[in-house]
Amino acid sequence: MLEQIKQLISEIGSFTATTPEEVEQFRIKHLSKKGTIAALFDQFKAVPAEQKKDIGKALNELKTAALDKVNELKEALASTDTGRSGIDLTLPGDPLHLGTRHPLSVVKNEILAIFSRLGYTISEGPEIEDDWHVFSALNFPEEHPARDMQDTFFIERHPDILLRTHTSSVQVRDMETHPLPIRLVTPGRVFRNEAISARAHCMFHQIEALYVDEGVSFADLKQTLTYFAKELFGPETQIRLRPSYFPFTEPSAEMDVSCSLCHGAGCNVCKGTGWLEILGCGMVDPNVFELNGIDSEKYTGFALGMGIERVAMLKYGIKDLRLFFENDIRFLEQFSTAV
Ligand code: DAH
């Protein structure tokens, strides 16, 4: 009888099935009331007492092996037999919620793309800067009131270290390290000690452009600005330059574009003027070249800088600057069609 049990154990061990029906037949053959194992248990009653221990143990092993086999085969078939497990593979999948680009990134990318078509490459600099790169090397003399144009966050323990108030600081780093000619655009975050309101924030974004070469003229600046404005706001856009003052440019100007919402007729976005102020610009002051080791007799250049939030607000008619930083998905997803 022991032989018979051992043979059955090995037979059960090597059994395989490809359908649930085969598994069921196997179960009936061995594990039902009239199955092989039940029959052996019947015979077991007549086994002499001294053999009961060995045979009983073998019989229990046989039964466990048969039960394990049935469970194992059922599980294996269930995991491959998707048709029977209740999963319909022909159903369409659940849609994934795609995020959208932040409107500031959309506008930044658009501006960078326009300048890259003009041959500019991107350059970035640190947000924590020193006085030299933010002010001194840009021709802001110490104690000069022009420094008050931008309310600065200083690092308390290091009066020389501050959060940059404009991306013009990257111009200085570019002039230090980049071989001439220079044609760079520098996007980045800037910081000013201002109360947060619908029109101002203590942190915002700027893009700066710098072009330095022999023979760069104000006409080049004007043509670059005209192309830029038409690309960004549409081909019918007009520009207007107003004289201004920045310590690092001479002459300096501020550029307005014709209001793209009312086409110059006057609306509440342009406050009835038909014009929107977009950026500051000018010819790099010869003092700045000298401070940065560039021969101002040989080289000329222009620079321009603008706030990305401001451009985005004008482009999309956004009235409150704080919306950009609240990360309310209902606001952010409205720009989903934009690049
Ligand atoms: N840095 C100026 C600001 O933050 C903007 C600016 C004006 C940048 C004129 C320039 C420029 O490059 O030429 O207000």
Side-chain angles (χ1 to χ4, degrees):
M1 189 174 169
L2 208 51
E3 273 312 302
Q4 204 185 341
I5 295 171
K6 283 188 180 154
Q7 201 189 327
L8 261 180
I9 289 180
S10 89
E11 194 181 304
I12 284 170
S14 55
F15 177 78
T16 56
T18 49
T19 64
E21 289 75 23
E22 284 170 17
V23 180
E24 184 57 10
Q25 276 167 16
F26 172 87
R27 193 192 63 78
I28 293 169
K29 181 176 170 196
H30 298 294
L31 287 163
S32 66
K33 277 186 188 155
K34 292 185 178 156
T36 53
I37 296 172
L40 286 167
F41 270 99
D42 265 354
Q43 286 178 36
F44 180 70
K45 289 173 196 155
V47 164
E50 68 275 14
Q51 291 177 21
K52 272 213 151 80
K53 195 178 161 207
D54 287 347
I55 295 184
K57 200 175 154 218
L59 259 181
N60 281 330
E61 272 171 30
L62 170 65
K63 191 171 177 186
T64 317
L67 284 169
D68 286 352
K69 190 67 168 188
V70 169
N71 287 337
E72 178 194 310
L73 288 171
K74 274 189 183 166
E75 256 176 48
L77 286 173
S79 65
T80 52
D81 178 16
T82 47
R84 283 162 200 276
S85 61
I87 299 171
D88 182 351
L89 293 177
T90 63
L91 283 175
D94 291 332
L96 282 178
H97 182 78
L98 273 189
T100 54
R101 249 188 239 294
H102 194 284
L104 293 178
S105 298
V106 172
V107 170
K108 179 186 80 175
N109 290 345
E110 243 175 72
I111 296 172
L112 293 178
I114 296 169
F115 279 98
S116 93
R117 291 200 284 280
L118 289 170
Y120 288 71
T121 46
I122 297 172
S123 158
E124 285 177 319
E127 292 172 359
I128 302 173
E129 262 295 7
D130 51 27
D131 178 278
W132 172 257
H133 290 91
V134 176
F135 294 124
S136 300
L138 285 166
N139 200 32
F140 285 83
E142 242 170 85
E143 311 299 335
H144 192 280
R147 292 192 180 211
D148 296 341
M149 282 163 80
Q150 304 174 355
D151 267 329
T152 310
F153 286 116
F154 289 93
I155 307 289
E156 228 169 337
R157 292 187 181 187
H158 271 279
D160 190 42
I161 307 293
L162 45 100
L163 299 183
R164 67 179 178 195
T165 53
H166 54 181
T167 43
S168 304
S169 56
V170 190
Q171 284 187 27
V172 178
R173 293 196 172 267
D174 290 337
M175 288 190 264
E176 279 169 357
T177 55
H178 200 281
L180 294 164
I182 292 172
R183 208 186 295 208
L184 295 166
V185 252
T186 66
R189 270 197 297 194
V190 300
F191 307 85
R192 290 187 196 179
N193 189 4
E194 297 212 18
I196 296 171
S197 72
R199 318 198 98 247
H201 209 284
C202 56
M203 187 278 295
F204 57 101
H205 299 77
Q206 288 189 333
I207 290 192
E208 188 94 5
L210 175 67
Y211 180 28
V212 182
D213 202 350
E214 288 177 52
V216 178
S217 72
F218 200 90
D220 296 319
L221 169 60
K222 212 169 152 189
Q223 181 53 37
T224 303
L225 292 171
T226 306
Y227 173 79
F228 170 70
K230 286 179 186 288
E231 287 291 291
L232 190 61
F233 292 104
E236 69 292 342
T237 308
Q238 301 291 311
I239 70 159
R240 145 177 121 167
L241 293 176
R242 282 178 291 104
S244 185
Y245 171 77
F246 300 103
F248 37 92
T249 44
E250 184 58 37
S252 305
E254 268 164 289
M255 179 183 86
D256 299 341
V257 295
S258 53
C259 179
S260 55
L261 298 172
C262 64
H263 302 287
C267 65
N268 59 7
V269 174
C270 61
K271 299 198 196 82
T273 64
W275 294 95
L276 301 167
E277 185 188 320
I278 294 291
L279 54 75
C281 59
M283 301 306 291
V284 178
D285 193 304
N287 280 345
V288 172
F289 281 141
E290 294 305 325
L291 284 164
N292 289 284
I294 293 176
D295 182 354
S296 65
E297 294 294 322
K298 189 169 171 200
Y299 289 97
T300 51
F302 64 70
L304 58 100
M306 74 196 91
I308 303 180
E309 281 80 359
R310 180 163 173 79
V311 174
M313 287 170 90
L314 296 173
K315 222 173 139 65
Y316 296 122
I318 296 165
K319 295 219 168 60
D320 193 324
L321 184 84
R322 291 168 290 198
L323 287 166
F324 290 120
F325 308 116
E326 280 166 5
N327 281 338
D328 185 330
I329 202 127
R330 291 166 303 176
F331 169 71
L332 296 178
E333 66 191 2
Q334 296 178 62
F335 307 91
S336 57
T337 50
V339 241

